[in-house]
C-alpha cells in the first residue's frame, strides 16, 4: 500500500534535528499508520547549517533547503516550492527568552521572530505545527510573552488548539538535561487535542558515559577532531572532579578565574558519568565547551552530537565553531521523534500513554 505523505515545512530549521526526528519516527509510525513524514522545505540563516541540512535530510536540496533571513522570504515564496504542507515546525531563536542574559523577552531583538510563523499558518493551514523554545519563555515579561504567543498562534490560519508543555528530554531517553517548552498545535476543525507523551525514562535515565562510549565512536569518524587544550586549561581540569565546575572545585589560587558578576555553572564543568549531560549549548567563550569526566579535555563535536542524539552517520558541515553552534542549537532528534509519534497517534485517533500538560 502506498504511503500517505505528510509534508513538513520548517523555519529556523537548524541542521536538521527536527527533520531527522521525523525520519526516525517514520520507522515506528509504520507499525500503526500508513502515513510518512517527508521534507517539503526548510529555511535557516546560516550557510553551513543549511549545507548540513541538505547533506543529511532525505529529499533536501538547493531548491528546498534555503539560506535566508526569515524577514526576507514570504509564505508565497515557500508555496512555490511546495503548494501545501501538512506540518510546520519552527524553533524560533530563543536568545531573549533564555534564563541567561538580559531577559528582554518580546521586546528584545529576537523576541518578535515567532511572528514569522504566523503567515505560514495563514497561507498553508497545516494539520499541525510544532513551536520550540527555551524554558525561560514561561517567565518572560511575567508570563505575558507566552500568553501573547499562544494567543497569536491559536488564531492563525483556521485556528489551532495548542498544548504547551515543558519537556525534560532526559526523561525521554536523551542523555542530556535539556528542558524545552514545545507548543503543539492541532487544527481546530480536526476536533482533536494533543496530549504530551508520557516520559519513558523516569527511573533509569541514559548517562552521558553510555551515550559516548556505547558503542565506541569509530576512529577517524567525521566531526571527531580533538580541540587543542591550553596547558593552563589542562592543569585546571586536573583539579576539577566529575560534576564540578570552576567555582565548586578546590582550585589553587593561580588557577582560579578572575571573573566578576555572574558565575555560570557550566564554566569548566566536567560531566558526571553517572548522569545525563548538562545542557549542550551552541555558543560561549572559554570554559563552555563541555568537559570529559576523566580525560583532561573538551568533548569533540561528535561526542556532543551523541549527547544530542544525532546518529554517527549525520555529518556536520563547516568549521569547528560553526559545527558546535549547529549541535548546540538543534532539537535532539530522539526528542522530536517522540513528539512526532504522539502527533500522528493524535491525528489517527490512537490512544497512547500521556501526561497532563504542565503549562496552562
Amino acid at each position: 500500500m502506498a504511503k500517505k505523505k505528510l509534508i513538513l515545512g520548517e523555519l529556523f530549521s537548524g541542521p536538521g534535528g527536527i527533520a531527522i526526528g521525523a525520519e526516525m519516527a517514520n520507522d515506528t509510525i509504520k507499525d500503526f499508520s500508513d502515513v510518512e513524514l517527508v521534507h517539503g522545505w526548510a529555511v535557516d540563516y546560516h550557510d553551513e547549517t543549511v549545507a548540513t541540512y541538505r547533506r543529511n535530510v532525505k529529499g533536501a536540496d538547493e531548491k528546498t533547503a534555503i539560506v535566508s533571513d526569515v524577514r526576507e522570504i514570504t509564505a508565497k515564496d515557500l508555496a512555490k516550492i511546495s503548494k501545501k504542507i501538512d506540518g510546520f515546525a519552527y524553533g524560533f531563536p530563543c536568545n531573549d527568552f533564555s534564563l541567561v542574559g538580559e531577559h528582554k523577552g518580546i521586546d528584545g531583538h529576537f523576541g518578535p521572530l515567532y511572528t514569522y510563523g504566523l503567515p505560514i499558518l495563514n497561507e498553508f493551514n497545516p494539520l499541525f505545527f510544532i513551536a520550540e523554545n527555551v524554558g525561560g519563555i514561561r517567565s518572560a515579561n511575567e508570563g505575558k510573552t507566552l500568553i501573547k504567543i499562544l494567543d497569536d498562534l491559536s488564531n492563525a490560519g483556521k485556528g489551532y488548539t495548542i498544548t504547551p508543555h515543558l519537556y525534560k528530554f532526559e526523561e525521554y531517553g536523551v542523555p542530556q538535561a535539556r528542558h524545552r517548552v514545545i507548543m503543539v498545535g492541532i487544527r481546530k476543525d480536526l476536533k482533536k487535542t494533543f496530549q504530551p507523551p508520557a516520559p519513558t525514562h523516569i527511573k533509569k535515565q541514559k548517562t552521558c558515559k553510555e551515550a559516548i562510549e556505547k558503542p565506541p565512536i569509530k576512529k577517524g569518524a567525521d566531526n571527531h577532531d580533538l580541540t587543542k587544550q591550553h596547558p593552563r586549561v589542562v592543569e585546571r581540569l586536573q583539579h576539577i572532579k566529575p560534576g564540578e565546575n570552576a567555582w565548586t572545585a578546590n582550585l589553587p589560587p593561580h588557577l582560579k578565574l578572575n571573573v566578576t558578576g555572574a558565575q555560570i555553572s557550566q564554566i569548566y564543568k566536567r560531566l558526571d558519568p553517572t548522569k545525563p549531560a548538562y545542557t549542550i549549548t551552541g555558543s560561549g567563550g572559554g570554559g563552555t565547551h563541555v568537559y570529559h569526566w576523566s580525560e583532561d579535555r573538551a568533548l569533540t563535536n561528535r561526542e556532543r552530537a551523541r549527547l544530542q542524539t544525532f546518529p554517527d552517520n549525520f555529518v556536520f558541515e563547516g568549521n569547528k565553531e560553526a559545527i558546535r553552534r549547529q549541535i548546540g542549537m538543534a532539537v535532539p532528534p530522539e526528542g522530536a521523534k517522540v513528539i512526532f509519534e504522539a502527533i500522528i497517534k493524535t491525528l489517527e485517533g490512537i490512544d497512547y500513554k500521556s501526561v497532563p500538560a504542565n503549562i496552562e
Side-chain angles (χ1 to χ4, degrees), residues 5-11 17-23 25-26 29 36-43 53 57-58 64 78 81-82 84-90 120 124 126-130 336 340 343-344 347:
K5 298 186 184 302
L6 294 186
I7 301 169
L8 294 178
E10 296 183 72
L11 288 186
I18 288 176
I20 296 299
E23 291 181 14
N26 283 334
I29 289 170
E36 179 182 25
L37 298 159
V38 298
H39 163 75
W41 47 257
V43 181
Y53 192 104
V57 175
K58 292 175 184 175
T64 66
L78 295 168
I81 300 171
S82 179
K84 78 158 191 168
I85 56 171
D86 302 289
F88 171 54
Y90 75 136
I120 303 298
F124 293 95
L127 302 174
F128 68 89
F129 73 79
I130 299 171
F340 276 121
I343 288 173
I344 299 304
L347 295 176

Side-chain angles (χ1 to χ4, degrees), residues 143-216:
K144 295 175 183 177
T145 291
L146 183 56
I147 291 171
K148 171 66 174 168
I149 291 172
L150 291 171
D151 186 57
D152 286 348
L153 288 171
S154 68
N155 290 308
K158 293 182 178 180
Y160 288 85
T161 301
I162 304 175
T163 306
H165 187 72
L166 178 70
Y167 291 81
K168 296 181 178 181
F169 280 123
E170 67 271 28
E171 295 180 353
Y172 293 87
V174 175
Q176 177 193 163
R178 194 175 189 87
H179 301 169
R180 292 292 185 267
V181 170
I182 294 181
M183 303 163 241
V184 174
I186 305 291
R187 212 171 64 200
K188 284 182 178 178
D189 63 334
L190 301 176
K191 301 187 184 309
K192 297 179 185 295
T193 301
F194 175 85
Q195 293 296 330
T200 53
H201 289 67
I202 291 286
K203 293 182 179 179
K204 186 172 178 14
Q205 297 174 352
K206 190 171 183 179
T207 70
C208 56
K209 189 174 190 289
E210 286 179 88
I212 289 173
E213 293 188 347
K214 295 181 181 179

Side-chain angles (χ1 to χ4, degrees), residues 49-61:
T49 304
V50 175
T52 297
Y53 192 104
R54 291 171 183 163
R55 176 167 183 164
N56 295 280
V57 175
K58 292 175 184 175
D61 57 29

Side-chain angles (χ1 to χ4, degrees), residues 43-347:
V43 181
D44 198 272
Y45 184 70
H46 294 99
D47 293 282
E48 307 98 329
T49 304
V50 175
T52 297
Y53 192 104
R54 291 171 183 163
R55 176 167 183 164
N56 295 280
V57 175
K58 292 175 184 175
D61 57 29
E62 291 184 0
K63 293 181 180 178
T64 66
I66 302 165
V67 180
S68 177
D69 187 319
V70 295
R71 293 166 288 199
E72 296 173 3
I73 193 167
T74 68
K76 298 290 186 186
D77 295 330
L78 295 168
K80 293 175 184 176
I81 300 171
S82 179
K83 289 183 179 180
K84 78 158 191 168
I85 56 171
D86 302 289
F88 171 54
Y90 75 136
F92 50 94
C94 60
N95 306 54
D96 284 332
F97 302 129
S98 175
L99 292 173
V100 178
E102 298 181 53
H103 313 293
K104 294 179 181 177
I106 208 163
D107 298 318
H109 179 68
F110 293 99
L113 291 182
Y114 84 90
T115 62
Y116 287 86
L118 303 179
I120 303 298
L121 297 174
N122 292 335
E123 174 73 23
F124 293 95
N125 287 293
L127 302 174
F128 68 89
F129 73 79
I130 299 171
E132 180 260 358
N133 212 277
V134 292
I137 195 173
R138 293 171 299 163
S139 57
N141 295 327
E142 299 177 336
K144 295 175 183 177
T145 291
L146 183 56
I147 291 171
K148 171 66 174 168
I149 291 172
L150 291 171
D151 186 57
D152 286 348
L153 288 171
S154 68
N155 290 308
K158 293 182 178 180
Y160 288 85
T161 301
I162 304 175
T163 306
H165 187 72
L166 178 70
Y167 291 81
K168 296 181 178 181
F169 280 123
E170 67 271 28
E171 295 180 353
Y172 293 87
V174 175
Q176 177 193 163
R178 194 175 189 87
H179 301 169
R180 292 292 185 267
V181 170
I182 294 181
M183 303 163 241
V184 174
I186 305 291
R187 212 171 64 200
K188 284 182 178 178
D189 63 334
L190 301 176
K191 301 187 184 309
K192 297 179 185 295
T193 301
F194 175 85
Q195 293 296 330
T200 53
H201 289 67
I202 291 286
K203 293 182 179 179
K204 186 172 178 14
Q205 297 174 352
K206 190 171 183 179
T207 70
C208 56
K209 189 174 190 289
E210 286 179 88
I212 289 173
E213 293 188 347
K214 295 181 181 179
I217 297 172
K218 293 179 180 178
K219 190 175 182 180
D222 291 297
N223 312 130
H224 195 40
D225 300 330
L226 289 169
T227 298
K228 188 175 181 181
Q229 307 287 177
H230 190 280
R232 181 177 287 269
V233 171
V234 173
E235 187 182 3
R236 181 176 290 121
L237 289 172
Q238 289 171 347
H239 291 271
I240 299 175
K241 298 174 184 177
E244 290 185 341
N245 61 38
W247 317 112
T248 58
N250 184 20
L251 295 178
H254 72 286
L255 294 176
K256 290 184 178 180
L257 300 181
N258 184 21
V259 176
T260 57
Q263 296 184 352
I264 300 173
S265 65
Q266 293 190 3
I267 298 294
Y268 292 109
K269 185 173 182 177
R270 279 197 189 269
L271 295 171
D272 182 335
T274 68
K275 298 178 181 179
Y278 53 88
T279 306
I280 306 300
T281 60
S283 61
T288 62
H289 289 241
V290 187
Y291 294 85
H292 198 278
W293 55 89
S294 61
E295 299 176 23
D296 300 325
R297 63 173 180 86
L299 296 190
T300 68
N301 278 324
R302 178 50 55 196
E303 289 168 331
R304 291 188 192 95
R306 281 261 183 115
L307 297 177
Q308 278 279 60
T309 69
F310 282 95
D312 286 354
N313 62 1
F314 188 103
V315 180
F316 294 86
E317 299 280 1
N319 62 32
K320 271 188 180 180
E321 285 307 307
I323 292 169
R324 181 190 172 204
R325 183 191 70 241
Q326 292 172 50
I327 294 170
M329 298 298 283
V331 175
E334 288 284 357
K337 170 193 170 186
V338 171
I339 292 167
F340 276 121
E341 289 171 348
I343 288 173
I344 299 304
K345 287 179 179 177
T346 300
L347 295 176

